[in-house]
Amino acid sequence: MNSQLLNSATWQHGEVRLVCVERWHETHDVVSYRFQAEQPVKFQFKPGQFITLLLDIQGERVARSYTISSSPSRPYSIVVTIKSIADGLVSNYLANNLQVGHRVLATGPDGVFNLVDIETDKYLFLSAGSGITPMYSMSRWLEDTQKGSDVAFLHSAKSTRDLVFHRDLKQFEQHNQNFHLAYTLEEGELQDGSSVTAGRFSIEWLTEQVADFQSRTIFVCGPAPYMDAVKAQLQQAGFDMSRFYQESFGGAPTATASSPSDDATPFMLHISDKQIELSLDQSLLDGIEKLGLPIIAACRSGVCGACKCKVIKGEVESSSQMALTSDEIEQGYVLACSTKIRSDALVEL
């Protein structure tokens, strides 16, 4: 088996069948799952990217995207770290059912929120809740491959019970004088000398912890209210927002600028030899799913990029292009979950 791994092919993109080889609790409601490929491969991805799990739950195909929490510097397995949320179909299904030896189908990796497509030499990671996952992958990559990288890592959580990856992050700080770790906690404190401030993120706390934040490239991930607050405070502080990058899973796409009337004439969506009428408030994803065509809609909020499709003809209006590159946008690609047609349209999956 060892020689098979050493000589295995590299998986860079596409579908792959995974075998769960380990699972463990990070916190009371966060579980990490380590996978290897059914046929040995070396996983190659960009730190910060995600994979999409394709699952059958109660006879229904369900897709969800999860950030890879491991690093490509350790390529023989891949880890996703998932927080169980109230009424969360997939997160709770995995926590209650996915065990060592079980197999799942995955596709990817995807995502432009990563350390390869976004280059810098001074990092500022700002995260809250499960938004810590891509930041941990990035930090592990830097620790393994670029020892001594200048990293400030500021995380916000409810309490010490909710701190994920703390032990590893603390070790990074102890081993690298250029790695600074600090937390805001709504309750509780740590006894290991970590920098902990009561409360939530504020520009005053950021300035106190990272005096040179204006000269850094900022990566942000977390719940929408947290990200909105961080962005607004940085803008007010005069930060150069061309060096601000964010990723977020969860939350609905923002509303489109227009507000069509209920009695507006519907348009026709054409895909291959199929067609369907869509009202002005229905998304491309609504039409594609009603036609029964295969499409992955993992986040349904315009951030994962799994539902990417190409507009060949017609006018559309999109509320999110977050997961698309500039080249893809120029070629006519859109995100089906956050795009509505504004004329008869021809789309290619």
Side-chain angles (χ1 to χ4, degrees):
M1 184 61 162
N2 289 338
S3 61
Q4 280 185 301
L5 284 172
L6 286 172
N7 299 318
S8 58
T10 297
W11 176 78
Q12 293 180 283
H13 199 268
E15 286 192 357
V16 60
R17 186 163 292 279
L18 303 173
V19 181
C20 181
V21 296
E22 188 180 6
R23 59 168 282 165
W24 64 93
H25 275 271
E26 301 282 358
T27 69
H28 62 102
D29 60 356
V30 177
V31 180
S32 284
Y33 306 87
R34 184 183 303 279
F35 297 99
Q36 290 180 333
E38 193 171 55
Q39 299 299 318
V41 299
K42 293 190 284 283
F43 293 99
Q44 183 170 319
F45 56 92
K46 301 171 184 178
Q49 288 191 306
F50 58 86
I51 58 172
T52 300
L53 302 183
L54 308 175
L55 305 162
D56 290 311
I57 301 178
Q58 298 177 351
E60 183 177 344
R61 171 57 71 91
V62 180
R64 288 293 186 277
S65 293
Y66 295 105
T67 302
I68 303 165
S69 56
S70 53
S71 165
S73 53
R74 303 181 177 199
Y76 295 102
S77 66
I78 198 167
V79 180
V80 293
T81 300
I82 302 173
K83 177 182 173 66
S84 294
I85 58 175
D87 301 321
L89 173 64
V90 177
S91 62
N92 289 297
Y93 171 82
L94 293 173
N96 295 329
N97 295 279
L98 183 62
Q99 301 297 329
V100 171
H102 289 182
R103 286 162 167 77
V104 297
L105 186 64
T107 186
D110 296 290
V112 297
F113 184 79
N114 62 77
L115 287 194
V116 175
D117 296 327
I118 304 168
E119 294 187 14
T120 186
D121 57 356
K122 294 177 67 176
Y123 303 88
L124 173 53
F125 298 149
L126 302 176
S127 61
S130 56
I132 196 172
T133 309
M135 312 307 192
Y136 175 73
S137 176
M138 295 176 184
S139 297
R140 168 61 72 185
W141 165 259
L142 292 171
E143 177 70 12
D144 285 347
T145 64
Q146 299 178 40
K147 197 73 174 178
S149 296
D150 191 337
V151 179
F153 195 127
L154 275 58
H155 181 66
S156 298
K158 290 182 179 179
S159 72
T160 54
R161 295 180 68 236
D162 301 293
L163 290 181
V164 183
F165 310 129
H166 171 64
R167 181 181 299 177
D168 285 348
L169 292 173
K170 190 63 181 176
Q171 287 182 349
F172 296 167
E173 184 179 45
Q174 291 170 344
H175 297 162
N176 179 4
Q177 63 180 359
N178 293 320
F179 189 103
H180 175 61
L181 175 67
Y183 296 106
T184 59
L185 297 176
E186 294 180 34
E187 58 183 64
E189 58 184 32
L190 294 169
Q191 304 298 325
D192 61 1
S194 298
S195 174
V196 177
T197 300
R200 299 185 177 186
F201 175 90
S202 69
I203 202 70
E204 292 77 18
W205 174 64
L206 172 60
T207 303
E208 176 185 323
Q209 295 294 330
V210 190
D212 66 346
F213 78 89
Q214 293 280 8
S215 66
R216 294 176 178 266
T217 297
I218 297 181
F219 297 76
V220 183
C221 189
Y226 167 83
M227 295 187 53
D228 291 344
V230 170
K231 185 175 183 178
Q233 292 185 59
L234 286 171
Q235 288 175 323
Q236 189 172 8
F239 183 77
D240 176 4
M241 300 304 286
S242 68
R243 290 184 287 106
F244 174 91
Y245 299 92
Q246 67 181 42
E247 176 83 299
S248 176
F249 289 95
T254 55
T256 54
S258 61
S259 300
S261 61
D262 292 337
D263 58 355
T265 304
F267 294 119
M268 190 67 69
L269 171 64
H270 299 268
I271 303 175
S272 187
D273 60 347
K274 299 181 181 293
Q275 61 184 35
I276 189 173
E277 277 192 350
L278 291 183
S279 66
L280 296 189
D281 61 354
Q282 289 180 298
S283 68
L284 284 179
L285 179 59
D286 293 329
I288 293 168
E289 290 184 329
K290 285 184 178 180
L291 287 171
L293 295 172
I295 189 169
I296 297 171
C299 70
R300 310 186 79 88
S301 59
V303 297
C304 79
C307 65
K308 178 174 60 180
C309 57
K310 188 175 184 178
V311 177
I312 306 300
K313 184 179 179 180
E315 297 181 11
V316 297
E317 186 175 274
S318 296
S319 61
S320 175
Q321 297 177 319
M322 187 182 301
L324 298 174
T325 66
S326 56
D327 287 343
E328 288 173 332
I329 294 171
E330 187 174 343
Q331 293 172 40
Y333 284 96
V334 298
L335 302 174
C337 70
S338 51
T339 298
K340 300 171 183 178
I341 59 175
R342 294 297 177 247
S343 72
D344 292 346
L346 173 63
V347 170
E348 181 181 274
L349 298 183

